[in-house]
Every structure is written in structure tokens, then in C-alpha cells.
Amino acid sequence: CRSERTGHFCGCLVMPGDLIVADGSGVCIVPNELVEEVLEKAEKSAAKEEEFSRILEAGGGIEELKKAK
């Protein structure tokens, strides 16, 4: 979700437009000015994880994973 007002969350200053992401492992607050950069990096990371999963599901091992880097 996006913050709509200034406030504090767990000791962190949250400003309007900041992105707040939470799941079972924790909470992440991304400053508004970094949202696009962080989303791009997250999408690349997710694509790499999917590629690794495909390799492992196909019976690949460490060598195949190293090549996919």
C-alpha cells in the first residue's frame, strides 16, 4: 500500500507516497523516490528465481544454476 500521510511505523518515518510492503517475514518501507528502482530490481530478482525454479524442476543441479547467473 502507499502511505497517504506522514507518520512513524516501528521507529521509521513514513512519508506520503512511500510504499509499504508486508508479508509473513516482515515489513519493508520504500521511500517514494526509490519505488521505481526497487520495483525494477524486484522484478528482475523474481524472474531469476523463476528461472532457477524451472532449472531445478527439470532436474538441473548446481552447474546449471551457475550458468544461469
Side-chain angles (χ1 to χ4, degrees):
C1 72
R2 291 264 186 165
S3 175
E4 294 181 6
R5 60 184 185 178
T6 302
H8 285 86
F9 181 78
C10 294
C12 294
L13 178 63
V14 180
M15 303 292 290
D18 289 355
L19 180 65
I20 303 168
V21 182
D23 66 11
S25 64
V27 177
C28 180
I29 301 169
V30 181
N32 185 45
E33 62 271 11
L34 297 177
V35 168
E36 291 302 319
E37 178 183 350
V38 169
L39 288 177
E40 286 177 20
K41 289 181 179 184
E43 288 171 350
K44 287 179 183 178
S45 178
K48 186 60 72 175
E49 285 184 26
E50 287 179 22
E51 181 180 359
F52 287 172
S53 291
R54 282 193 299 274
I55 291 169
L56 293 172
E57 288 171 2
I62 295 295
E63 292 305 315
E64 288 83 2
L65 292 174
K66 286 180 183 178
K67 292 176 187 174
K69 275 178 118 177

